[in-house]
Amino acid sequence: MTSVTEASPPSPQVRRAGRRPGRDRPRKAVDHGAWFLVLPALLPILVLSAGPLLYGILLAFTDAQSGRTEPTRWIGALNFRDLLHDTLFWESFRIGLVWAVGVTVPQFLLALGLALLLNQGLRLRWLARALAIIPWAMPEVVVGIMWRLVYNPDAGILNETLRDVGLGSGRDWLSGLATALPAVIVVGVWAGMPQTTVALLAGLQNTPRELHEAAAVDGAGAWRRFRTVTWPALRPIALAITALNLIWNFNSFALVYVLTNGGPGGRTRLPMLFAYEEAFRYGQFGYAAAMGCVMVAGISIALAVFLVGRLRGGDDA
Amino acid sequence: MRTSTPARIGQYTALLAYLVFLAFPFLWLVSTAFKPPRELGSLHPTWIPKDPTLGNFRQAFDEQPLLQAALNSLLAALAAAVVAVLIATPMAYVVARRRTRLAKAVTGWVVVSQAFPFVLLIIPLFLVLKNLRLINSVPGLVLVYVVWALPFALWMLAGYVRAVPPELEEAAAVDGAGRVRTLVSVTAPLLAPGIVATGLFAFITAWNEFFFALVLLKTPEKQTLPVVLTHFIGAEGVADLGPLAAAAFLATLPSLVVFAVIQRRITGGMLTGAVKS
């Protein structure tokens, strides 16, 4: 498959030509090989990911149920009409949004702070990097279990510390109607902070150092330097990781399942928990699939608003 | 650039606060795992167990089929990681080397697959696997894990492929090596560290996974570690804290060790994948 161009002595042009897909003969040959290389991954993707997703969307328009003998029927948009009046679901949807934003925003701010610190060449950097592994590598179930131990009303370290400091006798954080959601949000922030920090840190290390120094020489303070030099370079990564965090957090399940299982009184029932119960406790596959569709639509709209707002905000700055 | 002393003190204080925030829950888990029942019931728990014991670990193994669960987890994660890497590497190669419509479609799918809530995927998968009689079986779970690990594996591997200069392959071709020979003896060895890192990452994500395992595995002898861990928490949310902490601690160790080994490569791979596409 060696072509004449490749055989000639290497020059910059030739090297570039070697990568360009414009040449005819090798391209066809590669394409055949390409299909052969791609197929082993493409088949499972189509059969077990893309296919099921479409199937799932179709299910939302049926009355599919678990363990039923009569055939499943098309019922049009009936599931969606029912969903419209399902106040419990909308309450859960609202909690999902509060949770997603409540986790993503502090996560971003804390991660940015840590990334800026780690970028300063302080002494204990290695320790912070090592510790940041813990939340990232742990099974979500263990993160949940761990924080249950921290929040435990009697044997938990949180209440014990509060008692020591003299801030009252502590409370049952995860079962209190008012405290449950904030308490699980703290866990969500803790669990997702490392990934965000690592992404932001990489972004920081790409910012031009000379610009920073030039700005310092010109007498720009730390905040000015951050706004005019660091932030513009960091923005693309910051936007990408925040958008991803929003999606991941909105769709999260295991953490809250272990911490509160949606309680008390549904105060922490994220949409995923709601849909899971609908599908696998009550067997309402069609209805749960409709919820899934609404969740996708909801998160897409939220993302669009966020990204359009951010991008426009960037043009003004 | 020089930073003034008060600023430095401020920075170290902030860093210390972060260290405490990141570390204390894990330290508390370890502390709880080694405490005897008497200390766990005390109203004034201490950081360091006064009378450390291994009793919680013994009790954890007695209460739940932890060994069987660990074996199930190991099988599922290992199989998923190996299969995912085997089928993702060739595709990642094509995606990285050629800017075709296929490459764009794959990138698009990687992004879209992140946005879909798992319910929308698990209900149809549940029905499909039920027809194939693969519910409540580790192979069925492996199928799901492979597809679930693919987007990220493709993303990372494509980044690693881009880091291998195409000139090397061209030079091998000039020397008369065939296409397969070039891939096997030039590209593959250079990719090996990236492939191993991706495989280990897929292993950890599968080892840690909970939702699919919860839905697909029904009987305790088939369930994976994360699912079995939740059995320590009773119906009313009351848990026997000592064994719970001990089992959770053990289940985390493999993830922590593997992750410590590959951390640098993962962050590197993630970002090369991100920057170039």
Side-chain angles (χ1 to χ4, degrees), chain A residues 15 37 41 48-49 52 110 114 122-123 137-139 142 146 148-149 155 160 163 190 198 202 247-248 276 289 296, chain B residues 8 12 18 21-22 25-26 28 40 43-44 87 90 98 114-115 117 120 124 147 167 208 214 237 252 255 267 271:
Chain A
R15 271 203 218 147
L37 290 173
L48 288 166
S49 179
L110 281 174
L114 183 56
L122 301 181
R123 248 160 245 259
M138 265 188 170
V142 175
M146 205 169 65
R148 280 183 71 119
L149 299 176
E160 175 62 14
R163 282 191 293 260
W190 184 87
V198 167
I247 299 176
W248 287 333
Y276 164 78
V296 177
Chain B
R8 269 280 184 248
Y12 274 107
Y18 274 110
F21 180 57
L22 284 170
F26 185 65
W28 189 245
L40 288 169
L43 271 179
H44 290 286
I87 64 178
R98 304 178 50 78
Q114 295 298 311
L120 213 49
V147 178
E167 289 80 4
N208 291 351
L214 175 73
T252 311
S255 313
T267 48
L271 294 160

Side-chain angles (χ1 to χ4, degrees), chain A residues 1-10 14, chain B residues 167-178 182:
Chain A
M1 248 157 275
T2 325
S3 72
V4 185
T5 11
E6 275 170 311
S8 59
V14 173
Chain B
E167 289 80 4
L168 284 180
E169 287 164 18
E170 282 155 24
V174 169
D175 290 345
T182 311

Side-chain angles (χ1 to χ4, degrees), chain B residues 183-229:
Chain B
L183 281 181
V184 170
S185 49
V186 177
T187 318
L190 288 169
L191 272 183
I195 291 178
V196 171
T198 309
L200 287 173
F201 193 76
F203 175 86
I204 298 181
T205 42
W207 175 273
N208 291 351
E209 205 282 332
F210 175 66
F211 180 64
F212 293 128
L214 175 73
V215 171
L216 293 176
L217 305 173
K218 295 293 166 208
T219 49
E221 68 269 21
K222 298 279 189 196
Q223 284 171 340
T224 54
L225 265 180
V227 183
V228 169
L229 283 180

Side-chain angles (χ1 to χ4, degrees), chain A residues 152-156 158-171, chain B residues 42-45:
Chain A
N152 190 290
D154 302 322
L158 182 60
N159 277 350
E160 175 62 14
T161 310
L162 288 180
R163 282 191 293 260
D164 278 354
V165 187
L167 283 170
S169 58
R171 48 172 85 229
Chain B
S42 122
L43 271 179
H44 290 286

Side-chain angles (χ1 to χ4, degrees), chain A residues 230-253:
Chain A
T230 313
W231 183 241
L234 199 58
R235 232 171 56 104
I237 286 191
L239 282 185
I241 193 72
T242 308
L244 277 174
N245 279 340
L246 263 180
I247 299 176
W248 287 333
N249 289 328
F250 188 73
N251 292 335
S252 75
F253 175 83

Side-chain angles (χ1 to χ4, degrees), chain B residues 34-123:
Chain B
F34 289 97
K35 272 182 193 159
R38 188 169 24 83
E39 278 185 58
L40 288 169
S42 122
L43 271 179
H44 290 286
T46 50
W47 272 104
I48 298 168
K50 287 178 212 133
D51 194 9
T53 166
L54 289 175
N56 292 325
F57 291 88
R58 218 168 306 135
Q59 203 185 333
F61 279 94
D62 287 344
E63 278 178 25
Q64 297 289 341
L66 282 183
L67 273 182
Q68 181 63 47
L71 192 68
N72 294 341
S73 279
L74 187 70
L75 274 178
L78 212 56
V82 170
V83 175
V85 164
L86 275 182
I87 64 178
T89 307
M91 190 188 222
Y93 181 81
V94 175
V95 168
R97 280 287 185 259
R98 304 178 50 78
R99 290 213 156 271
T100 56
R101 259 171 296 165
L102 176 88
K104 276 198 196 119
V106 167
T107 316
W109 174 74
V110 168
V111 174
V112 168
S113 68
Q114 295 298 311
F116 275 83
F118 290 149
V119 240
L120 213 49
L121 191 62
I122 194 65
I123 297 172

